[in-house]
Amino acid sequence: LVGNGGAYAPAPGGNALKLAVRGDNTFQWGGSMDEVAFYTNALSGAEVAAHYAAAATNGAGYAAQILAQNPAGYWRLNEKYVTSMASDSGTRGAAGDAQYRFYSTTVDELQAPAFPGFETTNRALQVFGTNGVVVGPTPNFDTTTATFECMFKRDGTQKDSTGIFLHGRVETNSSPFVAGLLMATGDKLAYYWYSTNTASAVGDSFRYVSQLIVPSNVWVYAALSVTPTRGMLCLYDGTNWAVEVN
């Protein structure tokens, strides 16, 4: 996926969706993550707000609300790590299955009754800021809009440019970041947007750093909704709901 004159479309070169790391396998995330979803449409502010509200209050189930909007990819990360496969519940099914790699595991987290939208048996990804990562397949579609969303809990201060949920370039590219959520200095939520569709080209990158601060050791909900004319970052920090548009 690449920002190409406002369009968001696959670039050649075997680009992967990655969790907990930047596209070049550096700047690893340390903490927990769950309910990672990708859409080929830009969710509205109201739709995104309904998702975070469901996680906190919807006894009928957060997952059902996500699936009702047909995400192209949805990784619940519920596996007990007896297998390396992270199942995709989105519209691509098994074709979108991702892989747990290196020091990544799952733990009992985000469970009812503390989080009413989830099962009592829910699990979440845990990585340690070293080399744990989940890698998904190359998205197989063209779209002019996109939404990234997930729940996560950071473990202490993260490095500038730490990857949360990104669609990455080929790992040998000098600028391997295409689009997605990351952390910036001061534990601020940020996003990357890459504007070339040539895998070997450096191109023009756009990095936006918001004023949304991600608290430590607290489960938060975050989303990036992108259209050809704007990017919208949303964050529920465990207490407050905030939106920043640029």
Side-chain angles (χ1 to χ4, degrees), residues 55-56 110-120:
L110 273 180
Q111 295 179 335
F115 296 90
F118 299 100
E119 303 87 352
T120 57

Side-chain angles (χ1 to χ4, degrees), residues 125-179:
L125 171 70
Q126 185 176 72
V127 290
F128 304 97
T130 51
N131 62 352
V133 60
V134 175
V135 179
T138 303
N140 187 26
F141 39 73
D142 295 339
T143 178
T144 58
T145 54
T147 302
F148 297 77
E149 71 175 344
C150 63
M151 298 189 69
F152 63 87
K153 180 171 67 173
R154 73 173 175 89
D155 182 9
T157 299
Q158 307 291 310
K159 296 179 181 179
D160 186 51
S161 297
T162 292
I164 302 172
F165 176 24
L166 290 162
H167 178 266
R169 273 190 180 280
V170 289
E171 291 158 12
T172 57
N173 191 290
S174 59
S175 294
F177 331 109
V178 177

